Amino acid sequence: MRLPGRMAAAIAVLEDIESHRRPVAEALKAWGLANRFAGAGDRAAIGNLVYDGLRRKRSHGWAMQSEAARALVLSVVVREWGESPESLATLFADDPHAPAALSPDEVARLSATDPLAGAPAAVVADLPDWIAALLEISLGHDWIVEGQGLTGRPPLDLRANLLKSDRARVMKALSRFSPQEGPTSPWGLRLAAGPRDARTPNVLTDEAWLKGWVEVQDQGSQVVSLLCGVQPGEQVLDLCAGAGGKTLALAALMGNKGQIFAHDSDRTRLAPIYDRLKRAGVRNVQVRPPAETALDDLVGRMDRVVVDAPCTGSGTWRRQPHAKWKLTPEQLALRVAEQQQILDDAARFVKPGGSLAYITCSVLPDENGAQAQAFLARHPEFRVVPGHGLWHKAFGGSGARARFTAEGGILLTPATTGTDGFYIARFERAQ
């Protein structure tokens, strides 16, 4: 397929997403199944067009004065992929699978020298108005830049598994992908996102991954795992372990010494952890599936409790841009209530002198600083460990940057840290 045919396909996928309210990945898969002639390169290019359009839906919509699928795809191809109205006219004329010819109005809008002239700040930041208001409160004058940081293509981040290998060895094994050292994590590798129709390397078929030398894990997730402060020999509860990404990182930090209890309330989310532990060579993790008394014997005994709380996922909007436009204040309120309940439950497992790490992949203050402050108000037996000190101890002198919140937490963002959005606050229980 040539570019015009790929554009027509992307328009069809975006229309399917809008009309059937289905997830992006599901809509792309459905299109692929219905159009089996399309090769891997075609599917990657179509996916890039769809995701690029959704990441900057408001700004592209403002520039075109329409958020219709066609308008978004045309704007992406001109403003992000480097085409022009003239080049598109030539390409469309020679391709029977192209979208309809550009209208005079479309040519004028695609040719505008200042496509966001007069646009409200929330449009420039590519955020819904109500979310823009939240970020402005929590991030101050930087909130527009931070919003824009959530609209770029994300890199593919990897973590060298120190239980089996090291970063230098993994970089050599993956040299054909041209990996770079990650910007913050001492075990991180990064494969940069390419332009236009670039395909993401499939490292899951590589020998290094099959041998367990490397894991796919965002740099931000690696960093907050490190900031949990786990040490070899400790007793650790990973209360919301999910598929085990942070569990594996914690096990490597502990050198397989001590004990990690991995638990999740959802058996389906937890299911992949067993194969991942085996491939990574992890021997100090005991999986506790959901059951009424699954964790009763751990109450008051844990050196560390890690809560990777269910959240809106706003920090991952580069990867899941459709979620940005679907989120509602009511859904946010439900997440906040769920997080409060989980934090209160987690507190009972921390022994005197132990610590509780609260983590989200969110950039919204309700889920982060406000949640941490409310926890401290309900639990005077805990105090927050100041984020500045944690960061300096872990990364002092490295030049790594983060944002520090008023209550003592640490916020990672694409614009500031070059990672997905993550928040961590670490609390210590009185002796």
Side-chain angles (χ1 to χ4, degrees):
M1 297 174 68
R2 298 169 61 206
L3 178 60
R6 291 170 169 179
M7 291 174 63
I11 292 169
V13 171
L14 284 166
E15 289 173 343
D16 183 28
I17 292 167
E18 181 64 26
S19 60
H20 293 96
R21 298 289 191 268
R22 69 162 106 192
V24 180
E26 184 180 314
L28 286 167
K29 181 179 179 181
W31 185 91
L33 290 173
N35 298 272
R36 294 183 181 274
F37 62 85
D42 296 322
R43 294 193 299 273
I46 294 163
N48 285 349
L49 286 169
V50 169
Y51 278 102
D52 287 347
L54 291 173
R55 290 187 185 104
R56 297 187 171 117
K57 182 179 178 180
R58 283 205 82 178
S59 60
H60 284 306
W62 177 274
M64 299 299 291
Q65 289 300 291
S66 169
E67 291 185 356
R70 174 183 168 91
L72 294 180
V73 171
L74 289 174
S75 189
V76 165
V77 169
V78 170
R79 297 194 168 93
E80 296 187 41
W81 287 40
E83 296 293 336
S84 67
E86 294 75 20
S87 67
L88 288 182
T90 301
L91 289 170
F92 284 14
D94 294 337
D95 195 323
H97 304 291
L102 299 179
S103 69
D105 181 68
E106 288 172 333
V107 170
R109 296 195 183 282
L110 291 171
S111 303
T113 55
D114 187 5
L116 296 184
V123 171
V124 178
D126 268 293
L127 294 168
D129 291 340
W130 71 276
I131 292 174
L134 293 179
L135 287 191
E136 186 173 9
I137 292 170
S138 63
L139 299 175
H141 67 278
D142 291 336
W143 74 272
I144 295 177
V145 173
E146 293 288 1
Q148 291 173 331
L150 291 163
T151 67
R153 285 191 190 177
L156 177 64
D157 281 343
L158 308 170
R159 176 180 59 80
N161 177 17
L162 300 187
L163 297 175
K164 287 191 170 185
S165 189
D166 57 48
R167 182 158 66 178
R169 189 179 184 188
V170 173
M171 290 186 71
K172 183 176 181 180
L174 299 178
S175 59
R176 69 185 183 283
F177 298 129
S178 301
Q180 302 296 315
E181 291 187 358
T184 308
S185 167
W187 324 283
L189 299 85
R190 171 160 289 180
L191 306 181
R196 290 180 60 113
D197 57 357
R199 296 168 60 182
T200 301
N202 183 11
V203 299
L204 301 187
T205 59
D206 190 88
E207 185 182 33
W209 188 87
L210 295 171
K211 287 182 174 181
W213 292 1
V214 67
E215 291 289 334
V216 176
Q217 186 179 25
D218 181 77
Q219 284 270 312
S221 182
Q222 297 177 44
V223 167
V224 295
S225 298
L226 174 62
L227 293 171
C228 289
V230 298
Q231 300 295 322
E234 290 185 333
Q235 299 290 300
V236 178
L237 171 59
D238 188 354
L239 189 59
C240 305
K246 292 182 182 66
T247 309
L248 298 180
L250 296 174
L253 285 165
M254 295 170 66
N256 261 339
K257 298 176 182 178
Q259 185 74 65
I260 300 173
F261 300 92
H263 173 79
D264 199 279
S265 61
D266 188 320
R267 195 176 296 270
T268 301
R269 278 200 303 263
L270 193 62
I273 198 172
Y274 298 96
D275 287 340
R276 296 186 74 183
L277 292 171
K278 182 178 179 180
R279 185 178 57 81
V282 173
R283 300 188 303 274
N284 69 330
V285 171
Q286 183 182 133
V287 180
R288 295 283 184 95
E292 187 174 346
T293 60
L295 304 176
D296 285 359
D297 61 320
L298 306 183
V299 174
R301 293 179 47 210
M302 296 294 101
D303 296 295
R304 315 273 179 181
V305 175
V306 177
V307 175
D308 185 8
C311 67
T312 59
S314 55
T316 65
W317 279 341
R318 296 184 300 172
R319 305 178 194 278
Q320 303 292 336
H322 194 217
K324 175 165 56 174
W325 312 113
K326 292 173 60 179
L327 183 65
T328 66
E330 293 75 21
Q331 291 169 337
L332 173 59
L334 287 174
R335 282 303 192 196
V336 169
E338 185 178 8
Q339 291 155 4
Q340 177 180 320
Q341 183 178 2
I342 291 171
L343 270 172
D344 288 343
D345 183 50
R348 65 193 181 98
F349 296 103
V350 184
K351 75 178 188 181
S355 72
L356 167 59
Y358 172 66
I359 298 168
T360 72
C361 54
S362 175
V363 295
L364 303 183
D366 303 57
E367 301 182 280
N368 296 340
Q371 191 69 269
Q373 290 176 320
F375 173 78
L376 291 169
R378 296 192 307 273
H379 294 273
E381 71 275 22
F382 284 89
R383 72 172 187 90
V384 69
V385 181
H388 284 91
L390 289 177
W391 191 263
H392 181 75
K393 183 178 179 180
F395 305 111
S398 70
R401 300 172 59 233
R403 302 184 69 97
F404 303 102
T405 54
E407 77 294 335
I410 300 171
L411 181 63
L412 313 179
T413 67
T416 298
T417 345
T419 69
D420 281 351
F422 277 91
Y423 172 84
I424 181 169
R426 207 167 96 192
F427 310 109
E428 284 188 350
R429 186 167 199 153
Q431 292 281 0

